[in-house]
Amino acid sequence: QVQLVESGGGLVQPGGSLRLSCAASGIIFGIKNMGWYRQAPGSQRQLVATATSDGNTNYADSVKGRFTISRDNAKNFLYLQMNSLKPDDTAVYYCYAQLRGLVGTADYWGQGTQVTVSS
């Protein structure tokens, strides 16, 4: 059974930094796309950043220049380095992966990790 587990969330002051991690485990034959999404209270889940298996990345305009997404393909890990955090970045952050497992290619989501930016 494939699982995505996020870690690294927490409370940080405006201007601070956090690094989120996502570990994909289980029987995985390959991971095509991975990404981070976030959902603030009362809002829909929105894309933060994505990274393909060949290294292409994409960012939401609101995080460009502040957040950096990266992958460790050998270990099936995904990271999100978040700098210059703002109160508007407060949300539950979810890891996403499109991967090939025993049941074929499917989309998987982690359980989410809370990020709170507040003084």
Side-chain angles (χ1 to χ4, degrees), residues 9-18 66-67 82-90 115-119:
L11 173 64
V12 64
Q13 293 186 342
S17 298
L18 281 176
R66 300 188 298 122
F67 291 9
M82 305 186 294
N83 299 327
S84 302
L85 282 161
K86 306 174 182 180
D88 283 350
D89 296 318
T90 296
V115 171
T116 302
V117 184
S118 175
S119 55

Side-chain angles (χ1 to χ4, degrees), residues 43-84:
S43 299
Q44 291 187 336
R45 191 172 297 187
Q46 59 180 206
L47 179 147
V48 176
T50 59
T52 65
S53 57
D54 55 2
N56 291 319
T57 59
N58 181 54
Y59 295 90
D61 287 343
S62 59
V63 307
K64 282 180 181 176
R66 300 188 298 122
F67 291 9
T68 302
I69 190 171
S70 59
R71 290 174 58 161
D72 183 333
N73 292 326
K75 296 181 179 179
N76 290 337
F77 266 75
L78 180 71
Y79 304 98
L80 185 69
Q81 178 66 43
M82 305 186 294
N83 299 327
S84 302

Side-chain angles (χ1 to χ4, degrees), residues 79-116:
Y79 304 98
L80 185 69
Q81 178 66 43
M82 305 186 294
N83 299 327
S84 302
L85 282 161
K86 306 174 182 180
D88 283 350
D89 296 318
T90 296
V92 177
Y93 283 70
Y94 296 91
C95 175
Y96 158 83
Q98 182 186 50
L99 60 86
R100 186 163 54 92
L102 286 176
V103 296
T105 299
D107 296 339
Y108 293 85
W109 294 88
Q111 81 288 350
T113 185
Q114 177 70 47
V115 171
T116 302

